[in-house]
mmCIF file with all atom_site columns, all heavy atoms in Angstrom:
data_model
loop_
_atom_site.group_PDB
_atom_site.id
_atom_site.type_symbol
_atom_site.label_atom_id
_atom_site.label_alt_id
_atom_site.label_comp_id
_atom_site.label_asym_id
_atom_site.label_entity_id
_atom_site.label_seq_id
_atom_site.pdbx_PDB_ins_code
_atom_site.Cartn_x
_atom_site.Cartn_y
_atom_site.Cartn_z
_atom_site.occupancy
_atom_site.B_iso_or_equiv
_atom_site.pdbx_formal_charge
_atom_site.auth_seq_id
_atom_site.auth_comp_id
_atom_site.auth_asym_id
_atom_site.auth_atom_id
_atom_site.pdbx_PDB_model_num
ATOM 1  N N   . VAL O 1 26 ? 88.557 112.184 106.882 1.00 54.00 ? 50 VAL O N   1
ATOM 2  C CA  . VAL O 1 26 ? 88.282 111.512 108.148 1.00 54.00 ? 50 VAL O CA  1
ATOM 3  C C   . VAL O 1 26 ? 89.377 110.490 108.413 1.00 54.00 ? 50 VAL O C   1
ATOM 4  O O   . VAL O 1 26 ? 89.670 109.660 107.553 1.00 54.00 ? 50 VAL O O   1
ATOM 5  C CB  . VAL O 1 26 ? 86.909 110.803 108.085 1.00 54.00 ? 50 VAL O CB  1
ATOM 6  C CG1 . VAL O 1 26 ? 86.629 110.066 109.363 1.00 54.00 ? 50 VAL O CG1 1
ATOM 7  C CG2 . VAL O 1 26 ? 85.828 111.807 107.790 1.00 54.00 ? 50 VAL O CG2 1
ATOM 8  N N   . PRO O 1 27 ? 89.995 110.524 109.579 1.00 56.00 ? 51 PRO O N   1
ATOM 9  C CA  . PRO O 1 27 ? 91.002 109.507 109.880 1.00 56.00 ? 51 PRO O CA  1
ATOM 10 C C   . PRO O 1 27 ? 90.338 108.143 110.056 1.00 56.00 ? 51 PRO O C   1
ATOM 11 O O   . PRO O 1 27 ? 89.205 108.036 110.510 1.00 56.00 ? 51 PRO O O   1
ATOM 12 C CB  . PRO O 1 27 ? 91.627 109.992 111.193 1.00 56.00 ? 51 PRO O CB  1
ATOM 13 C CG  . PRO O 1 27 ? 90.594 110.860 111.802 1.00 56.00 ? 51 PRO O CG  1
ATOM 14 C CD  . PRO O 1 27 ? 89.829 111.472 110.668 1.00 56.00 ? 51 PRO O CD  1
ATOM 15 N N   . LEU O 1 28 ? 91.048 107.077 109.688 1.00 58.00 ? 52 LEU O N   1
ATOM 16 C CA  . LEU O 1 28 ? 90.490 105.732 109.776 1.00 58.00 ? 52 LEU O CA  1
ATOM 17 C C   . LEU O 1 28 ? 90.254 105.296 111.210 1.00 58.00 ? 52 LEU O C   1
ATOM 18 O O   . LEU O 1 28 ? 89.418 104.438 111.468 1.00 58.00 ? 52 LEU O O   1
ATOM 19 C CB  . LEU O 1 28 ? 91.411 104.740 109.075 1.00 58.00 ? 52 LEU O CB  1
ATOM 20 C CG  . LEU O 1 28 ? 91.441 104.862 107.558 1.00 58.00 ? 52 LEU O CG  1
ATOM 21 C CD1 . LEU O 1 28 ? 92.448 103.886 106.977 1.00 58.00 ? 52 LEU O CD1 1
ATOM 22 C CD2 . LEU O 1 28 ? 90.081 104.631 106.964 1.00 58.00 ? 52 LEU O CD2 1
ATOM 23 N N   . LEU O 1 29 ? 90.972 105.870 112.163 1.00 58.00 ? 53 LEU O N   1
ATOM 24 C CA  . LEU O 1 29 ? 90.808 105.451 113.551 1.00 58.00 ? 53 LEU O CA  1
ATOM 25 C C   . LEU O 1 29 ? 89.464 105.877 114.115 1.00 58.00 ? 53 LEU O C   1
ATOM 26 O O   . LEU O 1 29 ? 88.943 105.242 115.006 1.00 58.00 ? 53 LEU O O   1
ATOM 27 C CB  . LEU O 1 29 ? 91.939 106.031 114.402 1.00 58.00 ? 53 LEU O CB  1
ATOM 28 C CG  . LEU O 1 29 ? 93.337 105.583 114.023 1.00 58.00 ? 53 LEU O CG  1
ATOM 29 C CD1 . LEU O 1 29 ? 94.368 106.307 114.878 1.00 58.00 ? 53 LEU O CD1 1
ATOM 30 C CD2 . LEU O 1 29 ? 93.472 104.090 114.180 1.00 58.00 ? 53 LEU O CD2 1
ATOM 31 N N   . GLY O 1 30 ? 88.870 106.934 113.567 1.00 55.00 ? 54 GLY O N   1
ATOM 32 C CA  . GLY O 1 30 ? 87.612 107.421 114.079 1.00 55.00 ? 54 GLY O CA  1
ATOM 33 C C   . GLY O 1 30 ? 86.407 106.933 113.284 1.00 55.00 ? 54 GLY O C   1
ATOM 34 O O   . GLY O 1 30 ? 85.338 107.494 113.373 1.00 55.00 ? 54 GLY O O   1
ATOM 35 N N   . VAL O 1 31 ? 86.569 105.870 112.493 1.00 56.00 ? 55 VAL O N   1
ATOM 36 C CA  . VAL O 1 31 ? 85.480 105.386 111.655 1.00 56.00 ? 55 VAL O CA  1
ATOM 37 C C   . VAL O 1 31 ? 84.449 104.678 112.524 1.00 56.00 ? 55 VAL O C   1
ATOM 38 O O   . VAL O 1 31 ? 84.787 103.853 113.363 1.00 56.00 ? 55 VAL O O   1
ATOM 39 C CB  . VAL O 1 31 ? 86.024 104.414 110.587 1.00 56.00 ? 55 VAL O CB  1
ATOM 40 C CG1 . VAL O 1 31 ? 84.893 103.787 109.802 1.00 56.00 ? 55 VAL O CG1 1
ATOM 41 C CG2 . VAL O 1 31 ? 86.968 105.156 109.661 1.00 56.00 ? 55 VAL O CG2 1
ATOM 42 N N   . SER O 1 32 ? 83.206 105.035 112.332 1.00 59.00 ? 56 SER O N   1
ATOM 43 C CA  . SER O 1 32 ? 82.145 104.382 113.100 1.00 59.00 ? 56 SER O CA  1
ATOM 44 C C   . SER O 1 32 ? 81.817 103.032 112.489 1.00 59.00 ? 56 SER O C   1
ATOM 45 O O   . SER O 1 32 ? 82.241 102.707 111.388 1.00 59.00 ? 56 SER O O   1
ATOM 46 C CB  . SER O 1 32 ? 80.897 105.264 113.130 1.00 59.00 ? 56 SER O CB  1
ATOM 47 O OG  . SER O 1 32 ? 80.280 105.247 111.859 1.00 59.00 ? 56 SER O OG  1
ATOM 48 N N   . ARG O 1 33 ? 81.016 102.252 113.190 1.00 57.00 ? 57 ARG O N   1
ATOM 49 C CA  . ARG O 1 33 ? 80.687 100.910 112.711 1.00 57.00 ? 57 ARG O CA  1
ATOM 50 C C   . ARG O 1 33 ? 79.831 100.967 111.453 1.00 57.00 ? 57 ARG O C   1
ATOM 51 O O   . ARG O 1 33 ? 79.759 100.006 110.705 1.00 57.00 ? 57 ARG O O   1
ATOM 52 C CB  . ARG O 1 33 ? 80.007 100.100 113.797 1.00 57.00 ? 57 ARG O CB  1
ATOM 53 C CG  . ARG O 1 33 ? 78.636 100.569 114.168 1.00 57.00 ? 57 ARG O CG  1
ATOM 54 C CD  . ARG O 1 33 ? 78.055 99.685  115.262 1.00 57.00 ? 57 ARG O CD  1
ATOM 55 N NE  . ARG O 1 33 ? 76.742 100.107 115.626 1.00 57.00 ? 57 ARG O NE  1
ATOM 56 C CZ  . ARG O 1 33 ? 75.629 99.615  115.113 1.00 57.00 ? 57 ARG O CZ  1
ATOM 57 N NH1 . ARG O 1 33 ? 75.694 98.662  114.236 1.00 57.00 ? 57 ARG O NH1 1
ATOM 58 N NH2 . ARG O 1 33 ? 74.457 100.069 115.490 1.00 57.00 ? 57 ARG O NH2 1
ATOM 59 N N   . PHE O 1 34 ? 79.188 102.089 111.189 1.00 59.00 ? 58 PHE O N   1
ATOM 60 C CA  . PHE O 1 34 ? 78.367 102.219 109.996 1.00 59.00 ? 58 PHE O CA  1
ATOM 61 C C   . PHE O 1 34 ? 79.201 102.512 108.757 1.00 59.00 ? 58 PHE O C   1
ATOM 62 O O   . PHE O 1 34 ? 78.727 102.366 107.651 1.00 59.00 ? 58 PHE O O   1
ATOM 63 C CB  . PHE O 1 34 ? 77.323 103.315 110.194 1.00 59.00 ? 58 PHE O CB  1
ATOM 64 C CG  . PHE O 1 34 ? 76.377 103.016 111.314 1.00 59.00 ? 58 PHE O CG  1
ATOM 65 C CD1 . PHE O 1 34 ? 76.416 103.728 112.494 1.00 59.00 ? 58 PHE O CD1 1
ATOM 66 C CD2 . PHE O 1 34 ? 75.456 101.984 111.196 1.00 59.00 ? 58 PHE O CD2 1
ATOM 67 C CE1 . PHE O 1 34 ? 75.546 103.445 113.525 1.00 59.00 ? 58 PHE O CE1 1
ATOM 68 C CE2 . PHE O 1 34 ? 74.584 101.687 112.222 1.00 59.00 ? 58 PHE O CE2 1
ATOM 69 C CZ  . PHE O 1 34 ? 74.628 102.416 113.397 1.00 59.00 ? 58 PHE O CZ  1
ATOM 70 N N   . GLN O 1 35 ? 80.438 102.923 108.928 1.00 62.00 ? 59 GLN O N   1
ATOM 71 C CA  . GLN O 1 35 ? 81.287 103.252 107.795 1.00 62.00 ? 59 GLN O CA  1
ATOM 72 C C   . GLN O 1 35 ? 82.240 102.130 107.422 1.00 62.00 ? 59 GLN O C   1
ATOM 73 O O   . GLN O 1 35 ? 82.896 102.225 106.408 1.00 62.00 ? 59 GLN O O   1
ATOM 74 C CB  . GLN O 1 35 ? 82.091 104.512 108.106 1.00 62.00 ? 59 GLN O CB  1
ATOM 75 C CG  . GLN O 1 35 ? 81.209 105.729 108.268 1.00 62.00 ? 59 GLN O CG  1
ATOM 76 C CD  . GLN O 1 35 ? 81.990 106.923 108.758 1.00 62.00 ? 59 GLN O CD  1
ATOM 77 O OE1 . GLN O 1 35 ? 82.973 106.785 109.478 1.00 62.00 ? 59 GLN O OE1 1
ATOM 78 N NE2 . GLN O 1 35 ? 81.552 108.107 108.382 1.00 62.00 ? 59 GLN O NE2 1
ATOM 79 N N   . ARG O 1 36 ? 82.321 101.096 108.236 1.00 65.00 ? 60 ARG O N   1
ATOM 80 C CA  . ARG O 1 36 ? 83.216 99.993  107.925 1.00 65.00 ? 60 ARG O CA  1
ATOM 81 C C   . ARG O 1 36 ? 82.633 99.141  106.804 1.00 65.00 ? 60 ARG O C   1
ATOM 82 O O   . ARG O 1 36 ? 81.428 98.925  106.755 1.00 65.00 ? 60 ARG O O   1
ATOM 83 C CB  . ARG O 1 36 ? 83.426 99.101  109.146 1.00 65.00 ? 60 ARG O CB  1
ATOM 84 C CG  . ARG O 1 36 ? 84.387 99.693  110.146 1.00 65.00 ? 60 ARG O CG  1
ATOM 85 C CD  . ARG O 1 36 ? 84.607 98.735  111.254 1.00 65.00 ? 60 ARG O CD  1
ATOM 86 N NE  . ARG O 1 36 ? 83.486 98.937  112.177 1.00 65.00 ? 60 ARG O NE  1
ATOM 87 C CZ  . ARG O 1 36 ? 83.111 98.088  113.103 1.00 65.00 ? 60 ARG O CZ  1
ATOM 88 N NH1 . ARG O 1 36 ? 83.721 96.954  113.236 1.00 65.00 ? 60 ARG O NH1 1
ATOM 89 N NH2 . ARG O 1 36 ? 82.097 98.356  113.888 1.00 65.00 ? 60 ARG O NH2 1
ATOM 90 N N   . PRO O 1 37 ? 83.465 98.620  105.916 1.00 72.00 ? 61 PRO O N   1
ATOM 91 C CA  . PRO O 1 37 ? 82.931 97.728  104.893 1.00 72.00 ? 61 PRO O CA  1
ATOM 92 C C   . PRO O 1 37 ? 82.460 96.418  105.529 1.00 72.00 ? 61 PRO O C   1
ATOM 93 O O   . PRO O 1 37 ? 83.086 95.913  106.466 1.00 72.00 ? 61 PRO O O   1
ATOM 94 C CB  . PRO O 1 37 ? 84.112 97.493  103.952 1.00 72.00 ? 61 PRO O CB  1
ATOM 95 C CG  . PRO O 1 37 ? 85.314 97.832  104.743 1.00 72.00 ? 61 PRO O CG  1
ATOM 96 C CD  . PRO O 1 37 ? 84.889 98.834  105.780 1.00 72.00 ? 61 PRO O CD  1
#
Side-chain angles (χ1 to χ4, degrees):
V50 178
L52 289 177
L53 298 176
V55 174
S56 73
R57 68 180 180 94
F58 298 109
Q59 295 172 330
R60 282 184 277 162

